[in-house]
Amino acid sequence: MNTGAPWPGLDEAEARVLEIQAKLHQWAKVAPNRRFDDLYNLVYDPAILVVAWSRVRTNRGARSAGVDKVEPRSITSPLERFLPMLRDELKARQFVPLPVRERYIPKGNGKTRRLGIATARDRTVQAALKLILEPIFEADFRSFSYGFRPNRRAQDAVAEIYNLTTNSYEWVLEADITACFDEISHSALMGRLRRRVGDKRVLALVKAFLKAGILGEDGVTRNSSTGTPQGGILSPLLANVALSVLDDHFAEAWASFGRYGSFRQKRRARGLPTYRLVRYADDFVVLVAGTRGDAEQLRAEVAAVLSPMGLRLSEEKTGIRHIDEGFDFLGWRIQRQKRRGTKDKRCIYTWPARKALASIKARVRTVTRQGTNHPLAHLLRQLNLMLRGGPTTSGTAHRRRPSVTCTSSPGGGLSAGSDRSIAGPIGESSAGATSQGGGRRTAEWRCSIRRVWRSLATASGVQPFPRRGSRYRLGPPDDRRHGHVESRMR
């Protein structure tokens, strides 16, 4: 590799990085036991650093400064001084991360969440590490893990839950991990990283970030003996690496049930349970085709699997539900109810959860309140950023095939000239769901957002968000196959 190459432009750098990531992902996919021994020179590759800085600079967190009090958005000419100096430090192995700045933000339940704000230079190096490590570990991550992964989102997890609950998986172990980012064991996490990374320089750099320390709001610097700072660019990937121990455990159990659905049906006919995990970061559910007692046994099993990683289940957020009772997951209410117009036909309905609905309505109300005098294009961009990530324009009642995207444009945002709502069961208006348990909230949600939309989207040149493609493949994007998983889930 020509490490003395000049600094490339962003387009050239992104093409180069995509080529590197595609090769790393392919090598990791072909050889599941391969350890990568020469990765550190990629960390300070000019193309990697240019793309990493672009991610840091365009992130919403560019307005926040670390302990050095330098905001990333204040660095206007990074190629003149910032990136060359950072590259020289990395190349000479003289780079030392600084402690993160502690910041507490309020949570919806009245508690607070601790964030760790890194410096601009530390964020850039973390982004560079993520660009290199993510395609390697993506080859190992399981298909039922959805949180903080490219081309995956919360709606995909809800779609898989739909497919399972419509195929005899009626008991739900709803679980949450207590302070997941704060309590991950460093030694256990590094052990998981060493399975794929053999370059001691990269491992030492990751460990340096884990041990960098925390500058508290009281001005005292504390050691970080466990956990990875929530809010760091590299932290979500490290959390997924740590929690992959849970994914691997349930993947092995699923494989032991048999390759085909007929094998699992025979197992259930003998009175034995089958179960499957659906995980989004530290929030996950285990769907069980069996009895409540089977779900209770899995609760203890999950706790035993997480214990070596230094993690434990939250007692107040972990419980067992039946699909007829319903449960909240990732801002959605998922429940089986009687279908309107039938005698005993029951199907799975999903609609925005009460807490998520109240939160997004409050945010929309704040953005669109009178007196702001923002241009129409600016308001639409703000609404798109709010609505495309979570429960959006309507609740959805599913019957045969899930349609949980719930957006009025391909990317999940609002765009001019579109006033389309998602229907309920196929061939039936979703207004028919209003008589059931979540119907009134569904109708209220749809009408309130549509009212905002009609008042804004009269004439705007704002285009919908582009369709997302695969990040590591140079060809067409991967087929998610959510519409074709029903038979193999039985």
Side-chain angles (χ1 to χ4, degrees):
M1 177 178 296
N2 183 11
T3 56
W7 293 96
L10 181 57
D11 291 339
E12 181 185 351
E14 287 181 338
R16 167 67 175 153
V17 170
L18 179 60
E19 181 182 356
I20 293 173
Q21 289 181 320
K23 290 180 179 179
L24 291 173
H25 184 70
Q26 182 181 11
W27 293 338
K29 199 75 174 177
V30 171
N33 297 321
R34 175 173 180 171
R35 298 179 75 225
F36 292 80
D37 296 319
D38 189 15
L39 296 175
Y40 189 75
N41 61 332
L42 294 176
V43 176
Y44 56 83
D45 181 77
I48 294 285
L49 289 177
V50 167
V51 175
W53 168 250
S54 174
R55 302 277 172 88
V56 173
R57 181 63 180 82
T58 57
N59 189 276
R60 189 169 56 179
R63 299 172 296 179
S64 303
V67 296
D68 60 353
K69 300 182 181 179
V70 177
E71 298 179 0
R73 65 177 180 178
S74 67
I75 303 175
T76 56
S77 302
L79 296 182
E80 294 180 3
R81 182 178 176 85
F82 177 77
L83 288 181
M85 289 183 61
L86 184 60
R87 181 172 183 267
D88 291 342
E89 288 183 21
L90 289 169
K91 190 174 181 180
R93 298 192 63 185
Q94 296 175 351
F95 174 82
V96 178
L98 295 176
V100 297
R101 182 167 66 90
E102 185 181 56
R103 185 76 181 273
Y104 286 91
I105 61 173
K107 296 173 63 175
N109 57 4
K111 299 181 180 180
T112 58
R113 175 183 286 113
R114 188 178 72 174
L115 298 182
I117 303 175
T119 62
R121 58 195 291 277
D122 291 355
R123 284 183 236 181
T124 305
V125 177
Q126 286 189 31
L129 282 170
K130 183 180 179 183
L131 289 173
I132 298 166
L133 297 178
E134 189 176 54
I136 296 174
F137 285 97
E138 275 293 321
D140 298 333
F141 289 159
R142 304 292 180 170
S143 61
F144 46 78
S145 170
Y146 295 94
F148 305 120
R149 294 184 59 189
N151 298 316
R152 287 171 174 261
R153 53 183 181 172
Q155 288 92 333
D156 299 328
V158 175
E160 182 158 1
I161 291 174
Y162 162 80
N163 284 312
L164 289 164
T165 51
T166 53
N167 287 283
S168 304
Y169 292 79
E170 299 180 344
W171 287 101
V172 181
L173 171 60
E174 185 184 7
D176 182 80
I177 300 174
T178 300
C180 176
F181 284 85
D182 297 333
E183 297 187 0
I184 294 176
S185 169
H186 288 173
S187 59
L189 173 59
M190 295 303 298
R192 302 288 296 182
L193 287 172
R194 290 189 186 96
R195 294 187 175 189
R196 275 301 199 172
V197 180
D199 193 327
K200 294 183 179 181
R201 297 167 296 176
V202 172
L203 292 172
L205 189 57
V206 173
K207 189 173 182 179
F209 278 114
L210 295 176
K211 301 292 186 181
I214 301 172
L215 177 63
E217 292 183 338
D218 55 1
V220 178
T221 301
R222 301 177 180 86
N223 295 328
S224 50
S225 57
T226 61
T228 174
Q230 189 167 358
I233 294 178
L234 191 60
S235 296
L237 175 61
L238 297 180
N240 271 334
V241 172
L243 292 173
S244 63
V245 64
L246 185 66
D247 300 342
D248 294 343
H249 175 81
F250 278 94
E252 292 173 3
W254 181 261
S256 68
F257 299 153
R259 183 176 180 182
Y260 302 106
S262 59
F263 296 159
R264 293 186 285 272
Q265 289 178 352
K266 292 178 181 178
R267 175 183 170 87
R268 291 194 292 269
R270 297 196 304 269
L272 300 175
T274 58
Y275 44 86
R276 188 168 176 85
L277 174 73
V278 178
R279 184 176 67 82
Y280 191 95
D282 58 340
D283 293 326
F284 62 91
V285 294
V286 181
L287 301 148
V288 183
T291 64
R292 183 184 182 91
D294 297 327
E296 291 282 2
Q297 293 179 1
L298 285 174
R299 179 171 181 167
E301 187 176 324
V302 168
V305 172
L306 293 175
S307 180
M309 299 301 302
L311 302 174
R312 52 195 173 87
L313 294 177
S314 171
E315 293 295 335
E316 62 176 279
K317 294 183 180 180
T318 301
I320 296 173
R321 308 282 186 272
H322 193 272
I323 190 59
D324 290 339
E325 304 173 23
F327 62 98
D328 292 346
F329 188 62
L330 304 178
W332 294 91
R333 183 69 180 176
I334 306 172
Q335 190 171 355
R336 185 170 63 184
Q337 297 178 344
K338 179 182 176 182
R339 186 183 173 194
R340 185 182 181 186
T342 63
K343 292 183 178 180
D344 54 2
K345 177 76 173 179
R346 303 179 72 83
C347 58
I348 306 298
Y349 287 86
T350 67
W351 63 89
R354 187 191 301 270
K355 186 184 297 184
L357 180 60
S359 174
I360 193 67
K361 286 174 67 177
R363 294 172 63 190
V364 170
R365 192 180 298 113
T366 300
V367 170
T368 59
R369 68 179 183 272
Q370 294 182 355
T372 54
N373 296 325
H374 290 307
L376 175 61
H378 175 76
L379 288 176
L380 286 177
R381 272 191 290 269
Q382 283 188 296
L383 288 174
N384 278 328
L385 291 173
M386 282 184 208
L387 302 180
R388 68 173 178 171
T392 51
T393 55
S394 70
T396 308
H398 305 303
R399 184 177 53 167
R400 292 193 296 267
R401 187 173 57 195
S403 178
V404 297
T405 305
C406 297
T407 59
S408 55
S409 70
L414 301 175
S415 58
S418 174
D419 189 17
R420 179 173 59 89
S421 62
I422 304 298
I426 297 174
E428 174 181 289
S429 171
S430 58
T434 58
S435 65
Q436 301 299 334
R440 186 172 295 129
R441 290 189 293 275
T442 300
E444 178 187 358
W445 168 262
R446 186 183 301 112
C447 291
S448 62
I449 297 300
R450 187 177 295 171
R451 192 180 303 115
V452 172
W453 163 233
R454 284 177 174 171
S455 65
L456 294 175
T458 53
S460 173
V462 178
Q463 297 297 321
F465 288 93
R467 189 180 184 90
R468 297 173 297 176
S470 176
R471 181 172 295 182
Y472 305 127
R473 293 184 57 187
L474 300 178
D478 291 326
D479 179 14
R480 296 184 187 178
R481 299 189 297 274
H482 279 318
H484 309 280
V485 297
E486 183 172 347
S487 61
R488 66 181 176 87
M489 289 297 182
R490 289 181 177 145

